[in-house]
Amino acid sequence: MTAAKDADTRERIIQAAARLLADAGGEPVSTRAVCQAAGVGAPTLYHHFGDKRGLFDAVAAYGFERYLSGKRAQEPTGDPVEDLRRGWDLHVEFGRTNPEFYALMYGSGHTPPAAREAYALLLGLIEAVARAGRLRVPVGTAARMVGAASVGVTLDLIKDPEADAEVSARTREAVLTAIALPSDEGGDGTDGAPGGPATAARAVALRAALAADPSPVLTGAESALLGEWLERLATAR
């Protein structure tokens, strides 16, 4: 009974903080205001969350669940680059419609667990592009490019709601062009030049496949050496 009561109290505090953030219009929200709205004392709040950062990390996770619900509702298209494109659009739309939660996840130097979970989802989308033989650059590089660009665009649109939303689409396509091959150049396609885009994409694809399913016939040292060679092929220009 006590555990259920604690869970209810924790949920009530998170809900109160979320409402206050939504109504604050970007202004700071104090723990005192949260306690008043939730009908609890400060010791109760700190018992559940430790400190103000812990509270707002929990609120960010609460908002992230909304983001995840949209992600889960989207069916794969069969084209991993199109799935990545749709993931970008969902990310930006979530930020524009939930600026208070988005700011908690990405608007400060602190990276809450919810943002790390979002990055893991992004990695999954990009690894699918790599396995299809269509990623021009290593997975980690592509993830940093997409992450930095999508977060930057979203924060800019939150800061200026009247800004041209077409900026997001243009930035998205520029980044996708930089990291992914067109469908007719990926997979088993050839690019006519050793070390060209398709060669790099195959190297990225093989590295991604081995990372997901390491070969039992290679020793650790051999796997490391092969990984180094594939990295050089993937990044050669």
Side-chain angles (χ1 to χ4, degrees), residues 136-161:
R136 296 177 184 269
V137 298
V139 169
T141 300
R144 286 190 291 273
M145 291 171 66
V146 173
S150 61
V151 170
V153 164
T154 306
L155 289 173
D156 187 63
L157 291 173
I158 289 173
K159 182 176 64 177
D160 183 8

Side-chain angles (χ1 to χ4, degrees), residues 202-217:
R202 293 191 194 97
V204 172
L206 180 55
R207 193 170 189 198
L210 290 173
D213 185 20
S215 172
V217 302

Side-chain angles (χ1 to χ4, degrees), residues 182-207:
S183 58
D184 58 351
E185 293 183 32
D188 295 328
T190 59
D191 52 21
T199 299
R202 293 191 194 97
V204 172
L206 180 55
R207 193 170 189 198

